[in-house]
Amino acid sequence: MCGIAGLLAAQAGEAALRERVEAMTAALRHRGPDDSDTWIRAEHGIALGQRRLSIIDLSPLGRQPMLSASGRYCITYNGEIYNFPALRRELEALGAMFRGHSDTEVMLAGIEAWGLEPTLHKLQGMFAIGLWDAQERSLTLVRDRVGIKPLYWRPLNGGIAFASEPRALLVGEPRPALNPEAVSHFLRTNYVPAPLCIWQGLHKLEPGHLLRCGSDGLQTPRPWWSLEDAIAAEPRITQIDEAETQLHALLNDAIRGHMLSDVPVGAFLSGGIDSSLVTALMQAQSSQPVRSFTIGYGESGYDESSAAEAVARHLGTQHTTLRVTPADALACIPRMAEIYDEPFADASQIATYLVSRLTRQHVTVALSGDGGDEGFAGYNRHVMAARWQKMQGWPAPLRGLLAGFCTMLRPGQWDALGSLLPAGIRPPQLGEKLAKLGGVLRAKDVESYYRPLIEQWPDAAQVLAQPYPPLPLPQQAEGEDLVAYLQRLDARAYLHDDVLTKVDRASMAVALEARVPLLDHRVLSFGLALPRHLKLPANGKWPLRRLLARHVPVALTNRPKSGFAVPISSWLRGPLRDWAEDLLSPQALEETDLLRPEPVRAAWADHLSGRANRQYGLWGVLMLQAWQRHWRQP
């Protein structure tokens, strides 16, 4: 794991190339504090650099940038290849010789033996790659299938520069203008969608894509892997027993690969289905107690630490819990704008950073349960979709009456009523969920169903000085099941632009490598291809639940979905109020050229009064304001 950077600039001399690439890699030191190196060929205008977090082959033989055996290729790459031992044996049978035992050397040998794209299709892992081909005099950038590892790029006068994070592309350069389209989409979803970047002229390489720059110039990014093709290639499974058996074999293999490391490995354990299953399969394959980590809050409805501790006791892991107070959150919130060097406003970023910081005190690698919801229909919007389809046959007056009931009270009032229920059956965030259900009941088509569930400011024109229309949704294929379509929508945007961005930045800020075995591409395509009836019983993720029941009593994990949420709503009215008021003051809002102050102030007043819970939309504005203060200064 590491931070990578590089540039291809034909007119630059060696001194200029060295100065630029060393400054770029220095900006990524947090991603790789263990080592640093650069590789330059001034006659070709190429410079590659890396900051290393040593995980596999801790010796100098694992350093990057790394030359292939023939000297044709030089690579700098961020990630891990989990099946590299098997690939190494295959290459050795072809006559390849190895100096060290790193996955990087195996990847290079594969590219020499099979070519770049055939090798990519053999890789199981996460990766962002910069590959120089001396024979073709070309630089190729590659991003892994799912987008686990980030990769940004910008054109450079016929050449190109690239880096793991945009901050490295800004080194020594005047700050570009902000991209107003990116700002508009951020306010809707609380993340900047690929291939956009918040800065004009910078771009994200999309998952499963590659980009080549050579003597013929900079080509258009193109896909080397297709999620839709992978789903279509999966065998049709109709029985749950068959699905469970195949998934068990896939996950065991994925977990085994993800546990490969020359440094200590642990697990994030929230106590939910996904993280509990990952931890259980890790413990089943480990001869020692697995180190597991979670955080907890004082607020009911958000604290899953007791559930995590119960799962840990049953599995026999060596467990650590961090109790988080509002003061802890307040102390780290100012770092969010620095850590996420594009605006980012998934409020669980706070919890992810805190649990990463805790985990890094004990291990260097942690396995996460992220990806189970996307692959196996675990979000409430997936479960509700099947019910919404049935509701479409109900009379419109009945749907309107039920929608009115769901919204007759403010979310805070519903939460107060819900608090009267026994703790065992009390739904977390009841008011928020009823408000969403009211919107679902009024939805007339798939788009009006889906967008309100993922957008925080659906009417961007309400708050933005320069709004753009929402990005069009990919078409639903003829005959495609609605739940499968919604899963595909989430996997094509929300997964990598929100979930994986959150995990990557929070973990790498403390030099922790986070691995996501449920997003092994074989597991993801397997889950997405399963028919609805094999996923939706038991509120989604049925095959995962059945597998988990082999290791953990159902009673320990059978509870309403909470997610890795934090009590932002109450914190904004309490200990975070002064911080928020500073960023949302009329003067602060008027200073920005992005937002219209009046509707933002109205939403803030509604939230403070309890008339409405505007936590997610306001968090987006707050993170945008905080980001501007940190990053827009030269």
Side-chain angles (χ1 to χ4, degrees):
M1 187 64 69
C2 58
I4 63 172
L7 64 153
L8 179 60
Q11 303 304 314
E14 181 168 356
L17 285 170
R18 185 174 303 279
E19 180 181 5
R20 180 74 176 273
V21 76
E22 287 181 352
M24 292 170 71
T25 54
L28 300 171
R29 188 183 187 282
H30 56 284
R31 298 184 70 93
D34 295 337
D35 197 6
S36 176
D37 204 359
T38 58
W39 180 88
I40 298 166
R41 291 295 181 269
E43 66 271 24
H44 298 146
I46 180 71
L48 303 177
Q50 187 198 62
R51 290 291 324 191
R52 185 184 184 195
L53 177 63
S54 301
I55 302 293
I56 299 288
D57 192 348
L58 310 185
S59 77
L61 294 176
R63 296 183 78 187
Q64 297 182 45
M66 182 182 290
L67 275 171
S68 65
S70 70
R72 174 178 175 177
Y73 298 102
C74 186
I75 195 171
T76 182
Y77 116 92
N78 170 26
E80 300 291 350
I81 306 304
Y82 304 119
N83 64 332
F84 83 91
L87 294 177
R88 176 174 175 140
R89 292 190 293 271
E90 187 176 347
L91 288 161
E92 286 174 333
L94 297 175
M97 305 285 287
F98 294 92
R99 297 167 300 156
H101 67 273
S102 72
D103 56 341
T104 310
E105 190 177 4
V106 171
M107 190 193 309
L108 277 171
I111 293 169
E112 288 208 312
W114 302 312
L116 174 59
E117 290 193 56
T119 299
L120 293 176
H121 286 283
K122 288 176 175 283
L123 302 181
Q124 296 169 16
M126 55 183 182
F127 45 87
I129 298 170
L131 179 73
W132 171 250
D133 183 340
Q135 180 174 304
E136 299 291 335
R137 295 193 179 181
S138 65
L139 174 66
T140 302
L141 308 182
V142 185
R143 194 173 179 198
D144 66 58
R145 299 169 178 86
V146 186
I148 302 170
K149 291 292 99 185
L151 192 56
Y152 291 78
W153 63 276
R154 68 185 303 179
L156 279 183
N157 298 324
I160 190 173
F162 69 92
S164 296
E165 299 179 17
R167 72 185 74 210
L169 295 175
L170 303 178
V171 171
E173 296 285 327
R175 288 285 192 268
L178 296 192
N179 183 338
E181 184 180 5
V183 173
S184 183
H185 296 315
F186 166 76
L187 257 294
R188 291 180 185 277
T189 61
N190 282 354
Y191 59 80
V192 176
L196 297 175
C197 178
I198 195 64
W199 300 106
Q200 290 276 24
L202 275 65
H203 314 271
K204 297 183 185 79
L205 188 62
E206 294 184 82
H209 278 62
L210 60 78
L211 171 61
R212 182 181 180 276
C213 185
S215 57
D216 53 351
L218 183 61
Q219 298 181 357
T220 301
R222 63 175 179 84
W224 65 269
W225 182 82
S226 163
L227 176 64
E228 287 74 18
D229 289 347
I231 296 170
E234 290 288 337
R236 301 299 98 180
I237 296 175
T238 59
Q239 300 299 318
I240 186 61
D241 289 343
E242 182 184 5
E244 184 181 345
T245 298
Q246 292 198 24
L247 180 59
H248 193 211
L250 275 175
L251 271 179
N252 267 331
D253 186 67
I255 295 288
R256 186 178 304 112
H258 282 67
M259 291 176 68
L260 282 174
S261 174
D262 293 334
V263 294
V265 178
F268 295 152
L269 178 59
S270 70
I273 300 297
D274 305 332
S275 67
S276 296
L277 179 58
V278 168
T279 306
L281 294 178
M282 289 177 68
Q283 189 59 69
Q285 297 190 40
S286 176
S287 59
Q288 301 292 327
V290 168
R291 295 297 307 262
S292 58
F293 306 90
T294 194
I295 60 173
Y297 310 96
E299 287 82 349
S300 61
Y302 292 89
D303 189 353
E304 294 189 309
S305 61
S306 60
E309 289 163 356
V311 171
R313 283 193 299 271
H314 180 82
L315 294 175
T317 69
Q318 185 178 347
H319 189 70
T320 303
T321 299
L322 172 68
R323 302 292 173 187
V324 178
T325 67
D328 297 324
L330 183 59
C332 76
I333 281 174
R335 288 214 63 202
M336 293 299 104
E338 175 193 353
I339 291 169
Y340 295 86
D341 54 355
E342 285 190 284
F344 185 80
D346 182 331
S348 62
Q349 66 196 112
I350 300 169
T352 307
Y353 169 73
L354 288 171
V355 77
S356 295
R357 191 174 67 182
L358 166 70
T359 303
R360 186 61 176 92
Q361 296 171 17
H362 305 276
V363 299
T364 311
V365 175
L367 273 60
S368 163
D370 291 294
D373 289 313
E374 288 81 6
F376 295 89
Y379 289 126
N380 291 326
R381 55 182 171 266
H382 301 151
V383 178
M384 284 195 299
R387 299 166 186 168
W388 172 76
Q389 276 190 313
K390 295 179 181 178
M391 292 173 187
Q392 294 304 289
W394 296 359
L398 175 60
R399 284 188 281 118
L401 182 64
L402 291 173
F405 172 78
C406 291
T407 56
M408 65 184 291
L409 297 177
R410 296 190 297 271
Q413 293 174 314
W414 280 119
D415 288 339
L417 285 177
S419 67
L420 302 177
L421 296 172
I425 62 171
R426 186 185 308 153
Q429 298 103 52
L430 173 64
E432 176 190 332
K433 291 177 179 177
L434 284 175
K436 288 183 177 180
L437 178 59
V440 165
L441 286 163
R442 294 189 176 98
K444 294 181 173 58
D445 55 30
V446 175
E447 185 157 355
S448 62
Y449 167 84
Y450 183 70
R451 286 199 185 278
L453 296 176
I454 64 167
E455 295 185 348
Q456 314 309 325
W457 294 95
D459 184 5
Q462 179 186 6
V463 292
L464 280 171
Q466 189 177 356
Y468 280 71
L471 292 172
L473 298 178
Q475 288 293 316
Q476 185 174 3
E478 184 176 353
E480 184 177 19
D481 174 70
L482 173 61
V483 175
Y485 173 58
L486 297 179
Q487 287 180 261
R488 186 164 62 87
L489 292 183
D490 286 334
R492 286 175 59 94
Y494 178 76
L495 176 62
H496 54 84
D497 289 327
D498 186 302
V499 175
L500 292 172
T501 297
K502 172 187 65 182
V503 174
D504 175 80
R505 298 302 199 280
S507 60
M508 294 311 297
V510 295
L512 174 75
E513 175 168 298
R515 298 179 177 179
V516 281
L518 294 179
L519 289 177
D520 179 298
H521 68 279
R522 301 166 299 165
V523 176
L524 179 63
S525 60
F526 178 88
L528 289 169
L530 288 177
R532 179 193 296 191
H533 74 274
L534 296 187
K535 291 180 285 195
L536 283 191
N539 291 320
K541 300 193 286 195
W542 195 24
L544 299 182
R545 293 173 187 271
R546 285 175 58 114
L547 282 182
L548 180 59
R550 299 184 182 187
H551 302 274
V552 177
V554 172
L556 293 185
T557 56
N558 188 22
R559 64 187 190 283
K561 182 179 179 63
S562 177
F564 210 15
V566 293
I568 287 293
S569 178
S570 61
W571 287 0
L572 287 176
R573 296 188 184 101
L576 299 183
R577 180 169 178 168
D578 291 344
W579 168 80
E581 181 59 50
D582 175 50
L583 291 167
L584 300 178
S585 69
Q587 180 181 357
L589 291 169
E590 287 167 3
E591 287 174 354
T592 179
D593 53 357
L594 303 176
L595 301 167
R596 298 178 59 236
E598 295 81 4
V600 175
R601 291 293 301 175
W604 179 228
D606 282 346
H607 186 81
L608 290 178
S609 69
R611 291 189 296 270
N613 183 357
R614 304 298 298 272
Q615 60 176 329
Y616 298 120
L618 287 170
W619 191 249
V621 173
L622 287 164
M623 287 294 100
L624 180 61
Q625 290 286 87
W627 179 87
Q628 288 192 90
R629 285 189 179 180
H630 184 86
W631 287 103
R632 292 192 75 181
Q633 300 302 317

